[in-house]
Amino acid sequence: MAHITEASERPILKSKVFLYVTEFFSGLSVMAAELGASRLLAPYFSSSQIVWTIIIGTIMIALALGAVFGGRWADRDPNPDKLYMRIMVAAVWISLIPLVGKYLILLISGMLIVTVSTNFLIIAAFVSCAIIFVPPLFLLGTVTAGLNKFATTSLEDNASVVGRLSACNTIGSILGTFLPTFVTIPAVGTFVSFLIFSGALLVIPLIYFISIRARRVSCAVCALIFAITSCLSPLTGFAFWENSSTLAYEGESIYNYLQVKNLSDRTILSTNVLFGVQSVTMKNQGLTGMYYDTALAAPALADHADSALILGMGTGTYARQLKQYYPDMKITGVEIDQKITDLAGRYFDEPSSIPVSTYDGRAWLAASDQTYDVIMVDAYQDITIPFQMSSTEFFTMVKGHLNPGGVMVVNMNMISDGAGSINEALTDTIASVFGERNMLTADVPSTTNRELFAKTIGEDKSTKGASDIKRDAKAIPLRSVTYMRTGSEDLKWYMNEVAERFEEVEAPGSASTILTDDKAPVEVLGMRAIDQLIAKEAGPYREILKTEGIGGLLRAVQ
């Protein structure tokens, strides 16, 4: 058998142990690269199920093609040198991803944003993933077939050899799944994680070639490239274009990419470098000019304003606003990301007197029997909308935690209207729980935010009758209640302006999309909103590209 001769000429392969070690590190690197892909793409395209589907699908295609060609190449030319050379190239490629990947993503996005009219997120994420991750994972996909060729000495133990190789690959894949998520990414970040796992993979072919005294120049070049990218990659972050004088922090948690910018009048937190701001703190007391101000209508619309729960505490901006205007209000916060809570205390002056639980908002509600006058749902990050916090079951749970006459306010990040829009689906879903007569919406000027208010029926019928959000939201009663409870002239007159922006909600129709735990296509609906936003913002540039070509487009963006 020709392949036995080839392998027997390599002393390092005789015991088969090195083959199993190779398979282990191949599986480890594949899964680590997949987890790393999600973190590399998330700051630009979100971490939605759509992006995960693209990553998994693209990588599976690469591995499948690698398996086919790897088997063919192993049968045609059973030379282990070629296999270990492919592993070395894959390792170096993966090590270059943290240095080059972010530039490729922005280049691809910039090209597509002025040429693609629909499904931008899908296309941009797919092209980025295909260019960055398919080549190295295709090469790693050839490993198992080649190793099987070299490890098999007879048909009598062929199945046992395949089983051991499969076990080594699986064990490596398990570690490659858990280590990045729970150890390396939280500890040292995505970029260094790529370097750790690519470096571990690179050691295998280096040991192989050094042991047989071959490919010394190739080994030296690959080691040099790895050393260079190891030095340069950590020096720039995901948002490498940001002014270093204003960028106070850039890092990662288990859940998010995190960026804190310290501007002259405010401090802001972003979890996505392309889709805006998730939290802000103004350096001067007063109104923020953002959606938090409009959401301050909630305690004025409620029958009482003694307690509040914030699901999606973030850096505590809404809690600070409530404390400023309602100092006696008892406030509780829930935030799933402990790193954000840590940043809130470090950069955003989050009041230490407000308890914050590190928990998923819905799971926290399920474990609590407390009720509140105001519940703020602020857990939607652009198109990354947790489906479990968008369904009728969730809003029924929120309603059950409101006191009689209590108000829920939901921050809907994107103003996306019309049939099939995410806001229509969310509004109809909430209306199916609270009733459309007990709901109002208010768009926030100069932003893409919309606040939705929903009220439960109160009990104070002797003096006011049943709670009526539409009556309470009119300018005069809203101003009066606000001033009576806060004593603030500024907030009183701001509520007068909010009253003018209130819009009534229509009853859900027979064709309405009601989101449930079983069916909540929030990623697809959110993607449509992104397409609408891109079409609006990129429309002028697309017209320039069409009429003046690339030269005109380059002049326009300078």
Side-chain angles (χ1 to χ4, degrees), residues 309 362-372 375 397-398 400-403:
L309 171 66
R362 178 163 173 176
W364 191 92
L365 283 178
S368 172
D369 57 1
Q370 298 282 331
T371 57
Y372 302 88
I375 296 180
M397 192 178 295
V398 173
H401 283 76
L402 283 170
N403 291 324

Side-chain angles (χ1 to χ4, degrees), residues 26 31 64 68 102 107 136 165 191 200 233 246 261 263-264 267 298-299 321 323 358 383 478 497 504 521:
S26 174
M31 289 308 301
V68 171
K102 51 185 177 283
L107 177 63
L165 286 172
F191 293 167
S233 296
T246 61
K261 284 198 289 188
L263 304 180
S264 58
T267 304
Q321 294 296 98
K323 273 296 182 184
T358 304
I383 68 168
L478 190 62
E497 187 267 324
E504 295 187 7

